[in-house]
Amino acid sequence: MKHLKKLTALFLAAALALSMSACGGASSAPASGSASAGDGARRLTMLVPNNTNQYIKFDEREDYPVWQELKALFAQKGLELEFEVVPADQYPTTLQTRIASGTDLPDIVCLTPFDDAAAMDLANKGTIQPINTIMDEYGDGTFNRFIHEKYPFMAQLTTAPDGNIYWYTSVQAQTYEDKPAPTCRVINIRKDWLEKLGLEAPETAEEFISVMKAFQENDMNGNGAADEIVTVDTSGDFFMTGIAQWFGVGNYLTSVDVKNNKIVSPWYQDGIKDYLKYMNRLVEEGLMDPDLIGATYEQTSQRMAENKVGATFDYCMQMWLEPSVNAENVEFLPIANLETGYEPYIVIEPSFFSWQKWAVTKDCKDPEAVAALLDVLYSDRYEELSAWGIEGETYEVVDGRRQLMEGIGGAYWEQNAKDRKTPGGSLWSGCVFPTVSLYTMESQFTSRPEHKNEFQKSVVFQDAVYPDAKYCYMAIATDEQNARKAALTTDLSTYSSELVTDFILGRASFDDWDQYIAQMQELGLDELIEIEQSQYDKFLELSK
């Protein structure tokens, strides 16, 4: 997930081993024991960002048994890879520079910083090649079966208007009781503070304010200041907050309404005014810090570390908030659907997920090597290594289902790094290689506290209303649509964000509401809704 989420979240030497670069280096040299020039190995160069896991580092991959297992898969295909790995924060600029040069490009490049429109522009210019034609001619069928039979939504979401597929992606699917089962994001409130005060979890928006005030009045963090606050993500349109959803408000400037198969905007929804008034009240009553509006992740994380966050918006099954607080016995409890007088909903992440981008550039001269690589990356064995790791080391099979072993996973990354035990995804997923995983909630429940499990079970089959990751419900736009969206969205998003901020800070008047909506329409809100409705309709057509 947002969304990391989010932020996400990856062989002993042999005759045909991989060439690797030092992580963060500009180029690579063959690793010790790897194949030398002229030995017949298939070589591919890749430009990719470094992973962002602070404990499990890609440049230490050779120390991890799971990496040796992946190298063995590549060796079986006669593949030798060379990585140009760039620090994550420098990668977008490096990518732009390399692509703009148009010469001496690597064989494969991570295009995740580019949106669909920018990526399609590269396709139209011939900078990146169609993947489907490569796989149809040279693949062994693994990749094609994956995107057309196992996870067909990947093909739906990556097929361009011309019928080609120009990038491969990360893919995730999740089940519970063998049925599609999405997770969700909601407000998480301090369970340990509730228990110390003998309070029940709030069930209405009014009770939420009362509880947050009680946290401050009783100085729950013990620092002598009334600074226990609620934090929500304010980096976008300020609708993806968990609180907006109590008022039935969509989660983006435009949202997909999957119940009625239409695109909607919060600005046209009944609960929007009361949502904005409620957020303003949180600020006015000192329960939300105005200095954190538009704040960076690092700034909000600092408040979390300082034990000042009484409630925040995150995944209901998360296990990273608690260890990030400098306090003992911290627990967060997910809450949702608080009563406001409007029909609430939960930000539900699709049970299927296709995101991020890797593409084959025009300078790649070995399509057979590309086919071999992708047939590995979308194989059952890769999925096992990426999501679970090695049986008996990082996961076990219980009642026919895989589950991570005790002490493996996000809450234990620091120790996992010391032990060199981790599912491969923590080393490589989302940066060097795609995340490819089929998760079962049953496996997650073994490593979560009961209160989180019970909440997830209670909402697991709740119908989505305005699901997270709306791009998972939209076909790739045409060039004309992309051009119009590019012309519309910057000004619209900026105006929408500024207007929400002004309302929350009390600088905008509801008496001028009609003028604000008229300005939104003048900037093209209705046209944007119409374009995205066309994309959604195309997605539904491809789903048949």
Side-chain angles (χ1 to χ4, degrees):
M1 51 263 202
K2 222 149 127 234
H3 245 60
L4 144 151
K5 19 157 88 128
K6 112 86 52 56
L7 222 232
T8 51
L10 249 268
F11 178 89
L12 300 173
L16 296 174
L18 294 157
S19 290
M20 304 293 179
S21 71
C23 197
S27 60
S28 65
S32 176
S34 64
S36 59
D39 60 6
R42 295 167 172 166
R43 290 179 174 81
L44 291 173
T45 57
M46 300 180 66
L47 176 65
V48 293
N50 195 1
N51 71 352
T52 56
N53 192 306
Q54 63 177 316
Y55 299 114
I56 301 171
K57 303 179 184 300
F58 187 65
D59 61 350
E60 297 173 354
R61 59 195 177 275
E62 295 293 343
D63 298 335
Y64 287 84
V66 71
W67 178 257
Q68 305 303 329
E69 293 288 332
L70 181 59
K71 288 175 67 176
L73 295 184
F74 292 134
Q76 290 170 13
K77 291 283 189 177
L79 283 171
E80 181 179 302
L81 305 182
E82 295 181 1
F83 296 109
E84 182 178 346
V85 187
V86 179
D89 60 342
Q90 300 174 25
Y91 188 76
T93 300
T94 300
L95 176 63
Q96 288 278 5
T97 301
R98 293 291 298 276
I99 292 295
S101 73
T103 59
D104 192 28
L105 295 174
D107 297 308
I108 293 175
V109 61
C110 177
L111 281 183
T112 297
F114 285 15
D115 61 17
D116 286 358
M120 281 306 302
D121 184 57
L122 296 181
N124 294 333
K125 292 176 179 178
T127 305
I128 58 177
Q129 304 183 38
I131 292 172
N132 52 299
T133 57
I134 293 174
M135 302 312 297
D136 287 346
E137 183 170 356
Y138 300 106
D140 65 15
T142 301
F143 176 83
N144 283 343
R145 284 190 296 272
F146 185 96
I147 68 169
H148 295 299
E149 299 175 18
K150 188 173 184 179
Y151 296 125
F153 59 83
M154 179 177 169
Q156 291 172 233
L157 295 169
T158 56
T159 298
D162 65 3
N164 286 316
I165 294 175
Y166 290 98
W167 52 83
Y168 58 95
T169 71
S170 287
V171 175
Q172 177 178 304
Q174 187 163 246
T175 64
Y176 178 61
E177 297 178 346
D178 298 320
K179 291 179 286 188
T183 188
C184 61
R185 289 194 281 168
V186 297
I187 291 294
N188 289 257
I189 194 167
R190 284 292 290 270
K191 179 175 180 289
D192 54 319
W193 289 358
L194 287 172
E195 292 175 345
K196 287 179 181 178
L197 295 177
L199 298 175
E200 297 292 328
E203 296 183 354
T204 70
E206 283 300 316
E207 289 178 1
F208 180 76
I209 286 181
S210 296
V211 167
M212 291 301 301
K213 287 183 176 180
F215 287 169
Q216 291 190 350
E217 291 166 356
N218 290 276
D219 191 18
M220 297 309 295
N221 60 20
N223 68 359
D227 55 4
E228 293 83 353
I229 58 173
V230 55
T231 63
V232 294
D233 183 12
T234 60
S235 60
D237 299 318
F238 219 127
F239 299 125
M240 182 69 80
T241 61
I243 297 176
Q245 287 63 57
W246 302 344
F247 293 83
V249 173
N251 42 31
Y252 299 103
L253 173 60
T254 56
S255 299
V256 178
D257 177 350
V258 296
K259 293 182 68 175
N260 298 296
N261 288 337
K262 65 179 183 180
I263 303 297
V264 299
S265 173
W267 292 108
Y268 292 144
Q269 294 182 295
D270 293 339
I272 181 64
K273 292 183 181 180
D274 284 337
Y275 164 63
L276 295 173
K277 292 175 182 178
Y278 186 85
M279 295 296 281
N280 172 250
R281 185 178 168 191
L282 290 176
V283 171
E284 291 296 320
E285 299 192 24
L287 302 177
M288 180 179 289
D289 188 344
D291 291 340
L292 291 183
I293 294 179
T296 64
Y297 171 77
E298 288 73 17
Q299 289 172 305
T300 55
S301 295
Q302 182 62 32
R303 301 298 177 89
M304 182 69 70
E306 294 170 349
N307 199 20
K308 295 179 179 179
V309 177
T312 192
F313 179 63
D314 215 314
Y315 285 95
C316 71
M317 295 284 281
Q318 64 75 31
M319 290 293 288
W320 47 81
L321 292 177
E322 289 84 351
S324 71
V325 181
N326 293 326
E328 296 181 355
N329 304 315
V330 175
E331 289 187 295
F332 279 92
L333 173 71
I335 59 173
N337 292 333
L338 272 62
E339 181 183 331
T340 61
Y342 298 92
E343 185 175 354
Y345 73 97
I346 297 175
V347 177
I348 293 178
E349 186 176 279
S351 56
F352 61 85
F353 223 75
S354 175
W355 78 109
Q356 301 173 321
K357 298 180 179 74
W358 290 262
V360 181
T361 75
K362 63 182 178 64
D363 288 351
C364 179
K365 300 299 189 293
D366 192 347
E368 290 186 67
V370 171
L373 175 65
L374 295 191
D375 282 330
V376 169
L377 296 182
Y378 292 89
S379 66
D380 291 343
R381 178 58 174 157
Y382 173 82
E383 180 181 330
E384 177 187 2
L385 291 173
S386 186
W388 303 101
I390 300 174
E391 184 174 2
E393 179 177 288
T394 56
Y395 82 89
E396 57 190 352
V397 178
V398 178
D399 297 330
R401 299 180 186 275
R402 294 185 182 116
Q403 64 181 41
L404 293 178
M405 300 174 70
E406 180 67 28
I408 298 295
Y412 311 101
W413 275 336
E414 185 173 9
Q415 187 60 46
N416 293 169
K418 293 176 181 177
D419 297 339
R420 298 310 200 227
K421 293 182 179 181
T422 182
S426 299
L427 272 172
W428 62 66
S429 283
C431 49
V432 180
F433 302 125
T435 299
V436 178
S437 55
L438 169 62
Y439 286 105
T440 63
M441 281 192 174
E442 289 90 339
S443 69
Q444 294 188 50
F445 291 156
T446 63
S447 60
R448 266 57 173 185
E450 194 58 29
H451 64 272
K452 294 183 182 182
N453 293 344
E454 289 304 311
F455 178 88
Q456 178 64 87
K457 292 175 184 178
S458 72
V459 301
V460 65
F461 295 127
Q462 187 170 120
D463 291 335
V465 180
Y466 311 113
D468 193 2
K470 69 176 184 178
Y471 57 84
C472 283
Y473 296 85
M474 290 187 179
I476 296 175
T478 65
D479 293 343
E480 293 77 10
Q481 290 173 331
N482 275 328
R484 282 306 296 156
K485 289 179 70 173
L488 295 171
T489 52
T490 299
D491 289 344
L492 267 172
S493 295
T494 299
Y495 183 74
S496 175
S497 181
E498 290 176 349
L499 187 56
V500 171
T501 300
D502 285 344
F503 273 116
I504 293 174
L505 296 180
R507 299 189 303 226
S509 171
F510 287 96
D511 293 339
D512 300 322
W513 184 263
D514 290 344
Q515 296 178 34
Y516 299 137
I517 298 302
Q519 179 63 29
M520 206 89 66
Q521 293 169 336
E522 185 176 333
L523 290 172
L525 178 58
D526 293 344
E527 184 181 357
L528 179 61
I529 291 174
E530 182 180 353
I531 292 171
E532 293 191 343
Q533 184 69 53
S534 176
Q535 289 181 260
Y536 183 42
D537 291 343
K538 182 63 175 180
F539 169 83
L540 294 175
E541 181 184 330
L542 290 170
S543 303
K544 296 177 181 178

